[in-house]
RNA sequence: GGUCCGGUGGCAGAGUGGUGAUGCAGCGGACUGCAAAUCCGCGAAUGUGGGUUCGAUUCCCGCCCGGACCUCCA
């Protein structure tokens, strides 16, 4: 167990590559920005991991500080969107609206709280153009063949976030370097857009923004030149965050952009990398069809956010069993309400979001609650509320669903079989229902039932 | 090839310069018609070779293995 003060947040900062004390710029108002979805397809488990990490961080910050503003953008102008809309034969707006609605529904199903501000890129092109114009004016960017490019040579801090050698970055991509770039590492701020694709008038002609500028423009608009935390997956560190940082620091040289950078590690599925380009990604919807939402949520919290997580069905079943244990703790104290968040839970959370340690603390609370400790049950409830877990009534967790009448009838039939000591028949009924995902359990007070993974051995 | 991260019981997964959490699985016992749940108890791990140290799983170096990034990615 960590021994630091429970209310002092220690957080890993990617730029410094170490765990540091989190010091907000304004302790009265913590501000953070996360890179949100590009809305062209259903969200997958990797997206969920990033958004859940943000959710846990924001929930914790709200406990520690009086005011938190969490901004998560929506990328609704992008080449992948254009391609997808054309492929489906629908308008870009139809695609982005529908995808965003799906995204919201999926995250809500997982208990991920919405951000305070969710700006769309297409609503902030004016801010992007203004920022690009400023970069051009100050000599940090140049126009070439209708494109506007950021000059990485010009920014001495380039490479600092991702820990890369600036000289090597000047060379840029290994494969192709557009001929109009001064240095291979220069990246696009603005590019020309043909009539059939989304475009906006600009000082450089009709065009659309490059990938990175929207986050710089929108974080500035809503959080200012300097804010506390910027987050996302580790795969965004380079080039996306490195470029955002370069743009923002050059456009606003008196600001510090993001003070702390929080990045979650990638997720594997059965040991394999999951990515959109490989096409092997599991969507949030796929998994919701296979397991209770809280089990999915807990599964993701069983691994620290900075460690690679290998998603598997076995893990899902284990997560479900852990929740069984927690709900048994609550079931032992009907009507228990959340009390104060136990220090064991808070100190684990403030220790760089050590969720595995939080779960260990919750197991101790559940053990105590089952043994009769009402205060522990109350603490367990509070821990669950903090993590976005244990939101159900125990009876709903164990016995929710629609076939309760049929199950009760089977139990009655089985009790009769037991009464006449026809144990073969009693066992057959129990086995049949277990295969259907219902475990029948005989106790001193009669027979109860609960749901288990279908075909399971629980 | 370059940069970075990591290797902990059967599996999952934390922490720590000095008795190595927690969960799942397993084993023994209580309870049960038998199970389940619950309770009591048990076994089980720091990739490898060096170095620093009174002491290393932890710090340093080499090696082996895995992963990430290197301009689509959460």
């Amino acid at each position: 167990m960590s021994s630091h003060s429970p209310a002092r947040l220690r957080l890993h900062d990617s730029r410094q590559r170490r765990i540091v004390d989190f010091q907000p710029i304004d302790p009265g108002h913590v501000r953070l920005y996360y890179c949100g979805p590009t809305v062209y397809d259903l969200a997958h488990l990797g997206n969920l991991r990033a958004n859940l990490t943000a959710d846990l961080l924001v929930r914790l910050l709200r406990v520690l500080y009086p005011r938190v503003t969490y901004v998560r953008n929506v990328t609704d102008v992008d080449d992948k969107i254009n391609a997808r809309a054309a492929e489906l034969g629908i308008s870009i707006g139809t695609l982005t609206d529908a995808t965003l609605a799906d995204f919201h529904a999926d995250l809500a199903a997982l208990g991920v709280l919405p951000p305070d501000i969710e700006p769309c890129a297409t609503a902030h092109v004016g801010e992007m153009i203004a920022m690009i114009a400023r970069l051009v004016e100050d000599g940090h960017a140049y126009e070439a063949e209708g494109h506007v490019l950021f000059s990485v040579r010009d920014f001495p801090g380039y490479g600092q976030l991702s820990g890369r050698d600036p000289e090597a970055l000047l060379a840029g991509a290994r494969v192709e370097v557009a001929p109009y770039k001064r240095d291979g590492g220069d990246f696009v701020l603005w590019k020309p857009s043909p009539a059939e694709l989304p475009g906006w008038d600009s000082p450089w002609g009709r065009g659309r923004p490059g990938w990175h500028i929207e986050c710089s423009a929108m974080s500035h608009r809503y959080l200012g030149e300097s804010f506390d935390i910027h987050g996302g997956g580790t795969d965004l560190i380079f080039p996306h965050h490195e470029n955002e940082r370069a743009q923002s620091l050059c456009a606003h040289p008196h600001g510090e952009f993001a003070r702390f950078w929080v990045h979650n590690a990638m997720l594997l599925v059965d040991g394999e990398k999951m990515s959109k380009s490989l096409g092997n990604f599991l969507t949030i919807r796929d998994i919701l069809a296979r397991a209770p939402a809280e089990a999915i949520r807990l599964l993701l919290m069983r691994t620290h956010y900075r460690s690679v997580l290998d998603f598997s069905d076995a893990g899902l079943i284990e997560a479900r069993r852990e929740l069984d244990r927690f709900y048994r703790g609550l079931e032992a104290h009907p009507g228990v309400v959340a009390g104060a968040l136990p220090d064991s839970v808070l100190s684990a959370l403030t220790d760089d979001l050590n969720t595995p340690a939080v779960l260990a603390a919750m197991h101790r609370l559940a053990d105590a609650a089952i043994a009769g400790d009402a205060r522990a049950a109350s603490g367990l409830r509070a821990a669950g509320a903090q993590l976005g877990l244990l939101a159900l009534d125990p009876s709903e967790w164990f016995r929710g669903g629609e076939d309760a009448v049929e199950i009760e009838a089977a139990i009655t039939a089985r009790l009769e079989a037991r009464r006449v000591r026809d144990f073969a028949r009693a066992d057959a009924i129990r086995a049949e229902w277990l295969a259907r995902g219902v475990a029948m359990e005989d106790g001193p007070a009669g027979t109860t039932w609960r749901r288990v993974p279908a075909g399971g051995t629980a």
Side-chain angles (χ1 to χ4, degrees):
Chain A
M1 214 67 276
S2 89
S3 56
H4 76 285
S5 163
R8 201 185 79 200
L9 176 59
R10 287 151 40 79
L11 205 53
H12 184 270
D13 175 31
S14 307
R15 187 178 59 81
Q16 299 181 67
R17 279 170 210 77
R18 61 189 180 90
I19 291 173
V20 296
D21 284 325
F22 173 68
Q23 302 281 3
I25 295 166
D26 173 7
H29 184 191
V30 174
R31 290 161 292 151
L32 66 167
Y33 187 96
Y34 257 78
C35 290
T38 299
V39 283
Y40 73 102
D41 204 354
L42 287 173
H44 58 66
L45 280 182
N47 297 314
L48 177 61
R49 191 179 196 197
N51 285 99
L52 178 64
T53 302
D55 187 49
L56 292 171
L57 178 57
V58 170
R59 284 169 183 260
L60 176 61
L61 289 169
R62 290 196 198 286
V63 169
L64 302 176
Y65 298 97
R67 186 177 169 208
V68 176
T69 296
Y70 169 33
V71 177
R72 184 185 67 204
N73 72 298
V74 175
T75 299
D76 58 352
V77 52
D78 177 273
D79 289 351
K80 291 189 293 295
I81 295 174
N82 301 338
R84 181 84 171 149
E87 180 191 326
L88 295 174
I90 59 178
S91 79
I92 285 166
T94 302
L95 174 66
T96 56
D97 288 352
T99 307
L100 183 57
D102 287 339
F103 179 73
H104 287 156
D106 288 348
L107 290 191
L110 267 301
V112 174
L113 301 175
D116 298 291
I117 303 171
E118 190 172 39
C120 288
T122 52
H124 298 80
V125 175
E127 283 93 334
M128 297 182 218
I129 291 173
M131 184 175 269
I132 295 168
R134 184 165 183 170
L135 289 168
V136 171
E137 202 173 300
D138 293 346
H140 294 292
Y142 57 94
E143 188 181 0
E145 297 184 26
H147 296 67
V148 181
L149 294 134
F150 183 88
S151 174
V152 299
R153 177 186 297 279
D154 191 67
F155 176 55
Y158 196 67
Q160 207 179 76
L161 173 65
S162 55
R164 278 154 216 265
D165 173 19
E167 282 304 311
L169 290 178
L170 281 177
R174 290 166 299 174
V175 188
E176 45 173 328
V177 175
Y180 47 78
K181 289 186 180 181
R182 286 183 191 164
D183 287 299
D186 292 353
F187 55 89
V188 170
L189 297 172
W190 190 261
K191 58 187 168 189
S193 208
E196 69 276 14
L197 289 179
W200 290 261
D201 289 328
S202 80
W204 318 284
R206 184 177 187 277
R208 56 191 199 274
W211 178 28
H212 318 295
I213 193 69
E214 63 172 270
C215 293
S216 288
M218 293 190 285
S219 64
H220 179 257
R221 159 80 184 271
Y222 294 104
L223 299 177
E225 294 187 355
S226 307
F227 54 95
D228 298 299
I229 298 171
H230 192 128
T234 55
D235 53 348
L236 292 182
I237 295 175
F238 189 87
H240 186 51
H241 288 165
E242 187 74 68
N243 290 353
E244 269 185 53
R245 184 169 179 270
Q247 295 163 344
S248 291
L249 289 176
C250 287
H252 307 290
H254 301 299
E256 52 183 321
F257 195 43
R259 260 206 186 174
F260 299 94
W261 292 83
V262 174
H263 291 99
N264 59 279
M266 297 294 96
L267 175 144
L268 306 176
V269 174
D270 295 326
E272 288 221 307
K273 180 191 172 182
M274 184 174 78
S275 77
K276 291 179 179 177
S277 62
L278 293 178
N280 68 340
F281 62 92
L282 281 174
T283 65
I284 295 175
R285 249 157 232 212
D286 292 335
I287 302 307
L288 273 172
R290 281 164 37 188
E294 289 200 350
I296 299 166
R297 194 168 164 105
L298 185 139
L299 170 57
L300 295 182
M301 299 191 310
R302 294 175 79 219
T303 302
H304 184 89
Y305 76 94
R306 283 190 291 109
S307 294
V308 173
L309 161 59
D310 190 0
F311 185 92
S312 68
D313 283 323
L316 216 41
I317 289 171
E318 269 193 48
R320 208 167 151 164
R321 297 182 76 101
E322 281 195 59
L323 279 164
D324 284 345
R325 180 77 185 175
F326 294 156
Y327 273 111
R328 275 187 200 109
L330 297 181
E331 197 171 39
H333 300 270
V336 67
V337 295
L341 190 64
D343 269 2
S344 59
V345 172
L346 183 59
S347 64
L349 277 174
T350 53
D351 185 13
D352 194 32
L353 292 179
N354 190 342
T355 49
V358 172
L359 296 176
M362 287 173 70
H363 276 289
R364 287 194 290 273
L365 291 168
D367 290 348
I370 289 169
D373 183 343
R375 234 183 113 210
S378 168
L380 181 60
R381 197 46 123 182
Q386 181 62 41
L387 296 183
L389 292 175
L390 307 182
L392 304 174
D393 187 86
S395 67
E396 173 70 15
W397 169 258
F398 287 119
R399 292 177 288 282
E402 276 132 38
D403 47 358
V405 171
E406 195 188 348
I407 294 166
E408 293 295 343
I411 286 175
T412 302
R414 181 165 168 274
L415 281 173
E416 175 58 19
R418 289 181 69 209
R419 196 182 62 78
V420 302
R421 304 192 68 78
D422 181 357
F423 294 122
R425 176 161 153 71
D427 290 352
I429 293 172
R430 185 171 61 193
E432 179 201 331
W433 280 92
L434 184 58
R436 290 170 66 175
V438 173
M440 294 180 178
E441 299 170 340
D442 308 321
T447 298
T448 59
W449 64 277
R450 66 189 170 92
R451 295 193 189 280
V452 296
T457 52

